[in-house]
Amino acid sequence: MTPKKMMSIFALAAVSASASADVYTLDSCRNMAVGNNKTIRVAEETIKGAGYDRKAAKAAYLPGLDFNAGYVYNQRTINLLAENANLPTMTLDPLTGNYLPNVLLGPDLKPVIDPASGNPVFTEVAVIPKEAMSFDTHNVVAGAFTLTQPVYMGGQIKALNEITKYAEKAAVAARNSVVQDVIFGVDQAYWLVVSLKEKRKLAESFVTLVDTLRYNVNAMLEEGVATRSDLLMVDVKLNEARIALTKVDNGLKLSRMSLAQICGLPIQTEMTLADEDYKPYRPAAPEYSYNLTDVYARRQDLEILRQGINVLENREKMALGTMLPKVAVVGAYEFSNPNLNDGFKKRFGGGFSVGATVSIPLWHWGGNYHHYQATKSATNAQRLLLEDMEEMVSLQVEQAKFSFQEAFKTYDMTLSNMKSAEANLENAQFGFREGVLTADDVIAAQTAWLQANSEKIDAEIGIHLCEVYLSKVLGKLSY
């Protein structure tokens, strides 16, 4: 039985075994991974938060209504007089039309002076009782509704709105970048499973080849045309082939678990992939033409830096706003208990007031100016970082393009090597049956056949991985 026929039988058996299981395509694995990835969920929440920040910044344009209230308990009452107050009185002189104080006149018709105080002695006084100027302020309640409308804030409100807008765009770009990384990881895990499944079939074929050789050598040993050493050498190779099959089988199981974990499924999920029954093909190497300017525009990691520059430029404007005047209109309704609207009354009373506030920074020892210069330096640093990243991306694109082209050349060489290995194996088997070649020659041919087929599988899978990587670095990987 030829190696091609044996591999076909194993492929047919694999199809029959997996017919009853769920089949996962590459797109379905991508969708599950994107939907279940925790990092993407964190990025989505970051976008939501940035959206709320943008809405909050818009509210700064609108008037703000605040309510403030307070309560104070005072131990003592307020007494404006320490004792009853005696106020002098005056009488109108009809002859002069002037008011004359009601003072006590002596025999010389001059006012009598009180020697203790040095003031004239009045004949009539008006009494203000102490209680009339005492106010109960043991319990005081006061409050105010205040309406504030910003008129000019030095451009800070507009800059804040711009910052939140660009921050939201940066959050979206960060999410897209994470999604691309997740998709690339899914593709790697997916094609690793496909690769190991093919290598498992190849390992089974190799075990069958060596086992068939052992059967033939054992028959020749019984006929006396082979030695015990030949049989032992084949036994060693058969054990090595079985160990290799076990390793590939374990690697395949672990790779399925890894893919299930990336897709957000339980690691014990039996995942049958649509591309497991891999069909050899001869893809045509596409000629990728691209414009670096378009690549820069599509790259989400560069988009994050670009939006970061926009944020920093508006932070410059906010820092500049700290050195500019600020104007606002304020309206308020204030109330208190007790109130003084119509004398001192122990009940709630209040009134409206309207005004404007102006704040002009004059001198802060250069603190605001230095902060403004610091924000400009941060913006320049971000621009330089973007330029450096663009240079790295251009190099990355060229490397990915060369790797993609190299993958097709490698694939062509593995096809040639595999044909040579198959012909060599058939010749070795024929020569061994005719007695002109030894078992060692057959084992060497089998090993070369195994290596050639393994390299062909790696080359085929490598084309897929190089293609998705090139799409990623070109910014074309769908998300």
Side-chain angles (χ1 to χ4, degrees):
M1 183 180 295
T2 64
K4 285 185 177 180
K5 291 182 179 179
M6 285 188 290
M7 292 186 69
S8 299
I9 292 174
F10 282 116
L12 182 61
V15 171
S16 301
S18 62
S20 59
D22 292 334
V23 178
Y24 296 89
T25 64
L26 179 59
D27 285 339
S28 64
C29 289
R30 286 179 171 184
N31 292 333
M32 286 188 294
V34 171
N36 297 324
N37 187 269
K38 300 295 190 301
T39 305
I40 295 178
R41 291 185 183 179
V42 170
E44 292 285 355
E45 291 298 324
T46 303
I47 294 175
K48 289 182 182 180
Y52 290 130
D53 287 338
R54 178 173 52 81
K55 293 178 181 179
K58 283 185 177 180
Y61 285 114
L62 305 176
L65 179 63
D66 300 293
F67 172 73
N68 296 285
Y71 166 80
V72 176
Y73 171 78
N74 297 301
Q75 180 185 5
R76 301 172 63 89
T77 60
I78 295 177
N79 298 304
L80 298 183
L81 298 177
E83 57 186 14
N84 293 341
N86 296 322
L87 301 180
T89 61
M90 303 181 75
T91 301
L92 176 65
D93 184 353
L95 297 177
T96 62
N98 295 327
Y99 284 93
L100 300 177
N102 297 318
V103 297
L104 179 64
L105 299 177
D108 55 358
L109 299 177
K110 293 182 179 180
V112 178
I113 303 301
D114 183 3
S117 63
N119 296 322
V121 176
F122 290 90
T123 58
E124 293 181 4
V125 293
V127 178
I128 300 178
K130 174 184 176 181
E131 292 77 9
M133 301 301 290
S134 297
F135 305 99
D136 181 6
T137 56
H138 287 297
N139 299 284
V140 178
V141 178
F145 291 94
T146 304
L147 186 69
T148 304
Q149 173 61 61
V151 177
Y152 178 71
M153 294 288 112
Q156 289 183 315
I157 295 180
K158 184 176 186 300
L160 179 61
N161 275 269
E162 293 296 310
I163 286 174
T164 55
K165 180 180 71 174
Y166 292 128
E168 185 177 17
K169 291 183 178 180
V172 172
R175 187 274 314 274
N176 294 341
S177 180
V178 172
V179 171
Q180 287 184 336
D181 291 339
V182 169
I183 290 177
F184 184 66
V186 170
D187 283 32
Q188 286 183 311
Y190 183 92
W191 290 112
L192 177 61
V193 172
V194 174
S195 172
L196 291 176
K197 182 65 179 295
E198 289 299 305
K199 289 188 176 182
R200 184 178 183 275
K201 299 174 186 177
L202 181 62
E204 290 174 341
S205 300
F206 187 66
V207 169
T208 302
L209 279 175
V210 179
D211 188 55
T212 301
L213 178 62
R214 184 188 183 284
Y215 175 81
N216 294 332
V217 171
N218 187 57
M220 294 173 66
L221 178 63
E222 292 176 354
E223 295 176 1
V225 293
T227 64
R228 184 68 178 174
S229 177
D230 293 333
L231 182 60
L232 292 176
M233 179 179 60
V234 175
D235 284 339
V236 170
K237 197 62 179 179
L238 180 59
N239 290 334
E240 291 178 355
R242 288 171 176 169
I243 292 173
L245 175 60
T246 301
K247 289 182 178 180
V248 172
D249 194 50
N250 291 337
L252 178 59
K253 292 178 181 178
L254 290 175
S255 65
R256 290 186 192 276
M257 292 180 181
S258 176
L259 178 60
Q261 189 273 330
I262 294 175
C263 293
L265 301 174
I267 61 173
Q268 301 300 333
T269 303
E270 292 291 335
M271 297 187 68
T272 301
L273 307 185
D275 293 295
E276 282 190 18
D277 301 314
Y278 198 70
K279 300 296 187 296
Y281 74 111
R282 175 62 178 88
E287 289 295 333
Y288 267 94
S289 59
Y290 55 87
N291 183 288
L292 278 178
T293 302
D294 296 335
V295 174
Y296 296 155
R298 289 192 299 262
R299 286 289 294 256
Q300 297 301 297
D301 48 354
L302 298 183
E303 180 66 13
I304 296 173
L305 293 178
R306 286 191 291 269
Q307 299 303 331
I309 291 175
N310 292 332
V311 169
L312 291 173
E313 287 176 346
N314 282 277
R315 284 185 178 176
E316 290 181 28
K317 296 178 182 178
M318 289 196 69
L320 180 62
T322 61
M323 297 183 284
L324 299 177
K326 298 172 182 61
V327 181
V329 175
V330 180
Y333 176 81
E334 300 161 346
F335 62 90
S336 66
N337 182 5
N339 73 87
L340 301 175
N341 290 346
D342 295 306
F344 184 84
K345 296 180 181 178
K346 293 203 65 178
R347 63 170 181 258
F348 282 101
F352 290 96
S353 61
V354 178
T357 63
V358 178
S359 175
I360 303 176
L362 296 178
W363 184 252
H364 294 274
W365 301 100
N368 293 338
Y369 175 76
H370 294 316
H371 177 62
Y372 172 63
Q373 293 297 326
T375 57
K376 292 185 67 175
S377 296
T379 305
N380 292 333
Q382 189 82 344
R383 290 193 183 100
L384 292 173
L385 180 60
L386 177 61
E387 292 176 4
D388 184 58
M389 285 292 294
E390 287 177 346
E391 293 175 358
M392 294 178 63
V393 166
S394 63
L395 177 61
Q396 189 181 45
V397 169
E398 290 297 323
Q399 290 175 337
K401 180 181 177 182
F402 290 150
S403 297
F404 193 36
Q405 294 172 346
E406 182 181 342
F408 281 93
K409 294 179 181 179
T410 302
Y411 176 76
D412 290 336
M413 288 187 289
T414 58
L415 286 179
S416 177
N417 292 341
M418 190 182 68
K419 292 179 181 179
S420 299
E422 288 179 348
N424 182 51
L425 178 58
E426 291 178 357
N427 292 334
Q429 290 173 335
F430 178 77
F432 179 73
R433 288 193 298 269
E434 297 297 324
V436 296
L437 294 178
T438 65
D440 190 35
D441 295 327
V442 177
I443 290 175
Q446 289 175 342
T447 303
W449 174 84
L450 175 66
Q451 182 177 356
N453 278 274
S454 179
E455 290 175 350
K456 176 181 174 292
I457 294 172
D458 291 338
E460 289 175 336
I461 301 302
I463 290 176
H464 290 286
L465 295 179
C466 287
E467 184 176 16
V468 70
Y469 180 69
L470 182 58
S471 297
K472 182 176 183 292
V473 300
L474 291 175
K476 294 182 177 180
L477 189 60
S478 59
Y479 51 86

